[in-house]
Each structure stands twice: as C-alpha cells, then as structure tokens.
Amino acid sequence: MKKVRKIYDASFKEQAVQLSYDRTNVSEHARELGITAPQLYKWRKEFETFGEGSFHGKGNLKQTPEQAKIHELEKKLKDAVRSWRKN
C-alpha cells in the first residue's frame, strides 16, 4: 500500500514554527498538529536560516536576505551593461 504524502502550505508551516517557540514541549506540539517532531524541527531550522523567504514551495530557490540582495544587484548590473553596450 502506497503512503500518501501530505503537503502543508507556507502559512501552516510558519504558524506551526511560531507557535513552537511558545511551547515547552515541541514533540507534543507536533503531535497536536499531526506532524512529526523532526519535521517541525526541520521547519524551524529553515525559518531561522531563511526567515520570511522560507516555505516557497517546489522549484523556488531559497535565499537568505543577503543572497537575494546580491542576486538583485547582479541582475541590475547585467541589465546596465546590456543597455550600455547598445548605446
């Protein structure tokens, strides 16, 4: 029998993480939410690493705010070089 994998949306994950910081027993909190404690700890680590950029879903690159800023500046530089070469 094939096990069906549950998919949780970003708001559920973020709320679960935020509430877990207020709880003393993370394992109990995870059971109440219907997830495993290791999964909740994984979400917490991801949230601590990427902050608001966490939980974007499949195919989206997770970046720290610094990485996102670097990516944005590299894109602007590339566009500026292209427009300079045209002139």
Side-chain angles (χ1 to χ4, degrees), residues 7-24:
I7 298 175
Y8 300 97
D9 65 351
S11 63
F12 176 84
K13 292 177 182 180
E14 197 167 321
Q15 288 177 353
V17 168
Q18 294 295 339
L19 290 172
S20 73
Y21 291 122
D22 297 334
R23 303 289 297 267
T24 55

Side-chain angles (χ1 to χ4, degrees), residues 18-35:
Q18 294 295 339
L19 290 172
S20 73
Y21 291 122
D22 297 334
R23 303 289 297 267
T24 55
N25 190 335
V26 175
S27 296
E28 184 180 312
H29 177 58
R31 272 193 304 275
E32 290 170 1
L33 295 173
I35 60 174

Side-chain angles (χ1 to χ4, degrees), residues 69-82:
K69 184 68 174 175
I70 291 169
H71 180 72
E72 178 186 337
L73 292 171
E74 286 174 341
K75 185 177 178 188
K76 285 182 181 182
L77 179 61
K78 190 176 179 181
D79 292 342
V81 169
R82 278 189 193 147

